[in-house]
Amino acid sequence: MGGAMHRRGTAARSLAAVALLVAALLAIAAYQSALAVRSLNGEMKVQPTPIIWYEDPGTPNVTVSIENWLKANITVETHPPDIILKKRHAIYYNTFDENPSELNASPGCSGTWGWNSTGHYIYFDVGSMGTSYCYLYPSNIDISSYVNNGSKVYAAAITWRNGFLRVGVFRVGYTFLNDSTWDNYLIGLRNEPLQGNTGDNANATAYYYQYTSAASYTDYLLKQSSLPSGAWGFEYGYRHNLSAGIDFSTWKAGLWGKGLTINSTDTLQVLEAHINETYRIMPNRVGVGVHVEYVEWWWWYGIVYFDNLVITVDAPPWLVNVTGLQPGWRVVLENSTGGVVDEATAGSDGVAVLEVWGYLIVPNATIKVYDSAGNLVANRTFDLVVGGDVYEVTRFKGVILSVYSNLATAFKSRLELISTNCTAGNTYVYIYLYNASGYRVGPIEIVNGSLAANATSYIWMEPPPGWSGKWEAGYIELVVYVPMGVCEVRLRQEFTPSPGMYTYGSVNVTIKSS
């Protein structure tokens, strides 16, 4: 019995020793280890060495002060949310409200085109054309560098025709030409008008024209494709939405259109043509053009019209992107009278994509941004919204705190919201926790001034393979849309090196908007 008691006593002492060891390890992992160093006067002092700690990432407009390794006080200076034009991909755009003096014509088509001062558009009089070909291009736009760089160059316009007196066949579309050799590509529709509004016979086509002399060309069909079933072609009385482009890195040409078929509002790519080396030229101009292929009567009559011409580089001219949004937020683009041009919802990338077919250029346009509950976050009116534009909703977005460690093993962490105090309504705060690999959890959310989510899930933070010493474990990112005022947020961060071993960091964030 005495032996049994002795064994129980030994076991108890062993458990106590283990408990003390765990407590010691907990203290080390949770807070810091200690190094003894001797001062000049011979006294022993303790130099703390952190195991997990915070650092200032140096983000602009963010002030960070850190106490005792794991207590951070942060001030973020920002401005109320706004909408700005981030990038304009259009290198040329014209509503033709004034006579376009910069437009030049290819040889042989003088007198067959003009500008209508009442309707504010340009036109080709295909019935009186002295030759079969006519191309117009802005002489102040040279695309040579974009061609050499392998960029994508697009052209788009609103296009329509009047009623033709007699039957014929003509090609209408967008030209990519060289104004030295006059060789060019014409990408568009080959159209045979029919009487009335009965649906023209049309195909999507890409042609290469090799200039010979006296405005004469030898043409080569690069690609032809049928339009979708039920397509209207280039029907009389309709405004047609067409765009052509060439990717000069792959030498692929394309033709896109919207509303080509009855009861359809889809945007379709109706042609893709590869331009092989035999037919490659180096165009330096982009514009619009027609080719009268065949007429039944020499005295037939017809006019083709173009308006709101837009030429873009590396962005489709029928799209406008709005960035800097939260997933689920909605963007509405309105014209000058308040009519809705288009609306779209932001995806997981925070981008909403608007279509501007039928406009391409929207004067006095207003962009409105709503949160997922329908609250207005920001709005702004612009003199012009042009196809290819990229807009950004301004807000603060940045890393406000970095997490470092000396631990040789991985640990998990999460963020919790302790309290918040926002004096400004219409406030949106999103707080994410990342590890060094870029994986994130969250957000903690304050939506329109109200708490929506108060904690993140756990995330693992682990050192790089074979790494020893200091390593970046992760960071805290803040995204805020705050009107005039102050918003204070108190956070707690949990660190768990192993089950039952944990400590906490304290993060106080003050957001000032002015």
Side-chain angles (χ1 to χ4, degrees):
M1 182 173 177
M5 292 182 62
H6 174 74
R7 285 192 296 273
R8 284 197 297 270
T10 303
R13 286 192 296 273
S14 298
L15 289 173
V18 169
L20 287 173
L21 178 60
V22 168
L25 290 174
L26 176 61
I28 291 173
Y31 299 100
Q32 61 188 26
S33 64
L35 276 179
V37 295
R38 188 174 296 277
S39 64
L40 291 177
N41 60 11
E43 295 178 353
M44 293 293 292
K45 292 187 177 180
V46 173
Q47 176 65 42
T49 301
I51 299 301
I52 301 172
W53 69 95
Y54 290 137
E55 285 192 11
D56 180 358
T59 304
N61 301 317
V62 176
T63 302
V64 179
S65 65
I66 298 171
E67 306 172 26
N68 300 324
W69 310 114
L70 283 177
K71 182 178 180 181
N73 296 301
I74 300 169
T75 301
V76 177
E77 301 283 348
T78 186
H79 298 283
D82 197 3
I83 305 171
I84 62 170
L85 174 61
K86 191 72 173 179
K87 183 174 179 60
R88 176 154 285 166
H89 285 93
I91 58 173
Y92 178 84
Y93 50 95
N94 200 327
T95 59
F96 301 125
D97 288 344
E98 298 180 358
N99 194 350
S101 59
E102 75 279 5
L103 288 189
N104 276 9
S106 59
C109 65
S110 176
T112 64
W113 71 279
W115 171 69
N116 185 291
S117 59
T118 302
H120 298 165
Y121 50 74
I122 58 175
Y123 63 87
F124 292 92
D125 186 344
V126 297
S128 64
M129 287 173 63
T131 64
S132 298
Y133 312 89
C134 191
Y135 309 112
L136 298 177
Y137 60 91
S139 58
N140 58 340
I141 301 299
D142 189 325
I143 64 167
S144 300
S145 61
Y146 306 117
V147 175
N148 293 331
N149 290 339
S151 299
K152 298 176 184 177
V153 181
Y154 299 86
I158 302 170
T159 312
W160 69 100
R161 71 170 178 86
N162 69 343
F164 281 32
L165 184 62
R166 289 289 185 262
V167 174
V169 178
F170 67 95
R171 305 169 191 170
V172 59
Y174 303 93
T175 180
F176 295 78
L177 60 89
N178 186 296
D179 65 356
S180 296
T181 65
W182 295 113
D183 294 349
N184 72 91
Y185 305 111
L186 184 65
I187 304 168
L189 299 178
R190 181 183 183 273
N191 201 75
E192 180 182 350
L194 300 178
Q195 296 296 325
N197 303 69
T198 55
D200 292 1
N201 294 326
N203 295 99
T205 56
Y207 283 90
Y208 164 58
Y209 290 91
Q210 186 176 40
Y211 184 78
T212 53
S213 62
S216 178
Y217 291 85
T218 301
D219 61 290
Y220 303 89
L221 178 63
L222 301 177
K223 184 71 175 291
Q224 176 173 288
S225 63
S226 299
L227 296 182
S229 176
W232 284 98
F234 200 57
E235 179 60 49
Y236 161 59
Y238 289 87
R239 298 295 190 270
H240 296 276
N241 297 292
L242 295 172
S243 178
I246 298 178
D247 183 340
F248 288 102
S249 65
T250 61
W251 285 90
K252 287 184 178 179
L255 180 68
W256 296 264
K258 183 178 177 67
L260 291 173
T261 56
I262 302 171
N263 298 324
S264 171
T265 58
D266 293 335
T267 295
L268 302 173
Q269 182 173 359
V270 293
L271 175 77
E272 183 178 286
H274 180 258
I275 304 173
N276 64 41
E277 294 182 1
T278 303
Y279 302 115
R280 288 182 187 175
I281 62 172
M282 301 301 288
N284 65 334
R285 308 294 182 189
V286 181
V288 295
V290 295
H291 168 200
V292 177
E293 181 179 321
Y294 161 79
V295 293
E296 183 178 338
W297 300 90
W298 68 270
W299 47 276
W300 81 320
Y301 176 76
I303 298 178
V304 175
Y305 307 91
F306 290 90
D307 200 4
N308 285 17
L309 176 60
V310 177
I311 299 169
T312 60
V313 175
D314 292 332
W318 62 87
L319 298 179
V320 168
N321 287 346
V322 180
T323 66
L325 304 166
Q326 293 301 306
W329 283 15
R330 184 169 59 96
V331 178
V332 178
L333 173 62
E334 297 179 351
N335 61 22
S336 60
T337 63
V340 175
V341 176
D342 195 26
E343 58 182 275
T345 301
S348 59
D349 58 356
V351 178
V353 182
L354 301 162
E355 289 194 355
V356 288
W357 286 118
Y359 291 85
L360 298 176
I361 305 170
V362 190
N364 298 314
T366 300
I367 298 175
K368 296 181 178 180
V369 175
Y370 299 87
D371 69 11
S372 54
N375 302 299
L376 184 64
V377 177
N379 73 298
R380 178 168 287 277
T381 299
F382 297 87
D383 291 341
L384 291 175
V385 169
V386 182
D389 282 355
V390 177
Y391 294 86
E392 181 181 55
V393 179
T394 62
R395 77 286 190 221
F396 175 86
K397 179 181 180 181
V399 177
I400 58 171
L401 202 59
S402 295
V403 179
Y404 282 84
S405 177
N406 278 328
L407 286 173
T409 58
F411 58 90
K412 66 179 184 179
S413 181
R414 73 167 183 159
L415 282 174
E416 299 174 281
L417 179 67
I418 302 302
S419 65
T420 180
N421 180 23
C422 297
T423 61
N426 204 27
T427 295
Y428 300 81
V429 179
Y430 303 86
I431 303 169
Y432 300 89
L433 179 61
Y434 284 77
N435 64 17
S437 298
Y439 181 78
R440 78 178 185 184
V441 289
I444 292 172
E445 297 179 77
I446 299 168
V447 175
N448 197 29
S450 300
L451 180 63
N454 65 353
T456 72
S457 56
Y458 283 98
I459 191 172
W460 279 98
M461 298 179 172
E462 55 186 349
W467 189 263
S468 62
K470 173 182 175 179
W471 52 278
E472 184 178 16
Y475 54 91
I476 300 173
E477 181 184 68
L478 178 69
V479 181
V480 295
Y481 309 77
V482 179
M484 300 288 285
V486 176
C487 188
E488 296 178 344
V489 177
R490 292 182 59 218
L491 302 167
R492 183 172 69 173
Q493 184 170 6
E494 179 184 327
F495 300 99
T496 308
S498 63
M501 299 178 63
Y502 53 87
T503 188
Y504 295 99
S506 173
V507 181
N508 301 317
V509 184
T510 301
I511 305 162
K512 296 181 178 180
S513 178
S514 58

